[in-house]
Amino acid sequence: MKATEVPAIDGAYLFEPTPYADERGFFCRTFDSDVVRSVGLDPDAFVQDSLSRSARGVLRGLHLRSGDGEAKLVRCSYGRIFDVVVDLRKDSPTYRNVASFELSGETQVTLYVPAGCAHGFQALTQTADTAYRIDRPHDPAEDVTIAFDDPELAIPWPLPVTSMSRRDREAPSLAKALLHQES
């Protein structure tokens, strides 16, 4: 497994496994504490694992946590997703940058999203399972949602949106979400 910095988002990393393939399929390590530690992250900080299943066109996000934020490791374990990170850390050299990735079950690449960054994704396949490893227990009172189609962000979502939660559908603009987060 190797770690690669994401230039557009300061502190973000892609963790690329080395799969072992044969006639049965493949095997790969999807988390390695030594590799995580090698880029300055505490592997023991992750306290919660979650999984979502989405159908083609489903969009989830853009989500952010207020307060101390939430760092996460995100991996598409089955299918393919278009994954997006927006840096909303005011003191970051990549503040307001947007980076997108295609994550897939074939590659099992894991994306590290630093605390203070918004995250969202769209399922590209009929079934897409997305695994999250999060560094703080979830507190719904800290949830912040930003409009997926905010013109300031201009995220090029690859498919028409087939479904999203009511919260995501009614999310405020980036400017309003940031204003609310500061108050």
Side-chain angles (χ1 to χ4, degrees):
M1 176 175 277
K2 73 175 185 174
T4 306
E5 283 187 77
V6 174
I9 306 292
D10 185 52
Y13 291 90
L14 291 171
F15 293 96
E16 301 171 55
T18 306
Y20 299 95
D22 62 21
E23 69 280 355
R24 299 170 295 167
F26 74 88
F27 170 85
C28 70
R29 182 175 297 126
T30 60
F31 182 81
D32 186 314
S33 62
D34 289 336
V35 175
V36 170
R37 194 176 290 108
S38 76
V39 297
L41 303 175
D42 178 4
D44 297 326
F46 297 95
V47 299
Q48 180 180 329
D49 284 0
S50 301
L51 179 72
S52 70
R53 175 166 287 167
S54 303
R56 187 174 195 269
V58 167
L59 197 140
R60 295 179 187 263
L62 298 164
H63 300 150
L64 175 69
R65 295 261 313 266
S66 63
D68 291 333
E70 169 184 86
K72 59 180 107 175
L73 294 165
V74 180
R75 179 174 53 85
C76 181
S77 58
Y78 181 83
R80 290 184 304 121
I81 62 172
F82 177 79
D83 199 275
V84 175
V85 179
V86 181
D87 189 345
L88 296 176
R89 301 167 294 169
K90 289 190 177 189
D91 59 345
S92 171
T94 56
Y95 179 59
R96 293 203 182 202
N97 278 8
V98 177
S100 62
F101 312 87
E102 185 174 299
L103 301 179
S104 77
E106 288 189 22
T107 65
Q108 297 292 318
V109 169
T110 297
L111 169 66
Y112 173 73
V113 180
C117 293
H119 174 258
F121 70 88
Q122 184 176 42
L124 300 176
T125 52
Q126 190 50 47
T127 302
D129 289 347
T130 306
Y132 311 83
R133 182 167 273 187
I134 302 166
D135 74 344
R136 292 196 314 141
H138 182 248
D139 180 353
E142 295 178 332
D143 288 348
V144 177
T145 305
I146 299 165
F148 78 100
D149 58 354
D150 185 288
E152 185 179 339
L153 298 174
I155 297 168
W157 300 103
L159 300 173
V161 176
T162 58
S163 183
M164 63 176 28
S165 71
R166 181 178 178 180
R167 182 183 92 175
D168 290 350
R169 195 172 43 255
E170 296 174 356
S173 67
L174 173 63
K176 286 181 183 175
L178 290 178
L179 189 63
H180 175 73
Q181 187 180 8
E182 292 172 358
S183 56

